[in-house]
Amino acid sequence: MTSVAFRRMAVLTCSVKRLSPIGIDGKRTEATMHLTGLPCFPLDPVSEEIRQELELSKPFQALQTFLDGDLDIREKDILVVDGVDYVVRAAGSWRWDSTHDVLRLIVEDTMVI
């Protein structure tokens, strides 16, 4: 569990959808809900340094958010915030304070180029 400050800043609620595996017919069904009701930070643009570190060369708006806990969220999952889908480009632990790590998600906003 993270600090009170972190919990106060996680003012949005998000969900995560996961794509199904590609079937033997080469088709994939629609993404299904994987996690729901997760508190998260508002989405903010990432810096150019983070884009370079993650080798994000494709022209898209990269945003980041933070979630509490050890959650099963991975690249290519779909983060849903306020009814908008964002493709997860990177997910990993991020040091919040001296004793707590949180999950940082870098997502792709395909609506802004």
Side-chain angles (χ1 to χ4, degrees):
M1 183 54 82
T2 55
S3 70
V4 172
F6 183 91
R7 289 191 302 269
R8 285 184 181 153
M9 294 170 64
V11 297
L12 296 178
T13 301
C14 65
S15 300
V16 177
K17 296 189 281 188
R18 179 152 295 160
L19 295 172
S20 64
I22 296 175
I24 57 172
D25 60 357
K27 296 181 180 179
R28 182 185 309 237
T29 60
E30 289 200 27
T32 58
M33 199 56 67
H34 175 61
L35 300 168
T36 61
L38 304 172
C40 68
F41 277 38
L43 293 164
D44 289 317
V46 300
S47 68
E48 187 58 35
E49 291 81 21
I50 293 172
R51 286 183 70 89
Q52 290 175 359
E53 176 185 324
L54 297 173
E55 299 176 1
L56 301 175
S57 59
K58 182 180 170 187
F60 65 85
Q61 176 71 34
L63 304 170
Q64 68 181 351
T65 189
F66 299 91
L67 295 93
D68 187 18
D70 185 23
L71 302 167
D72 178 22
I73 302 174
R74 52 189 173 210
E75 188 176 344
K76 297 185 182 172
D77 281 348
I78 300 166
L79 181 74
V80 182
V81 179
D82 292 333
V84 179
D85 291 355
Y86 302 90
V87 177
V88 175
R89 297 296 303 258
S93 181
W94 190 79
R95 178 59 56 162
W96 173 255
D97 60 26
S98 62
T99 59
H100 297 101
D101 288 344
V102 296
L103 180 64
R104 179 175 76 170
L105 299 181
I106 307 295
V107 299
E108 176 179 347
D109 184 357
T110 57
M111 301 302 288
V112 179
I113 296 181

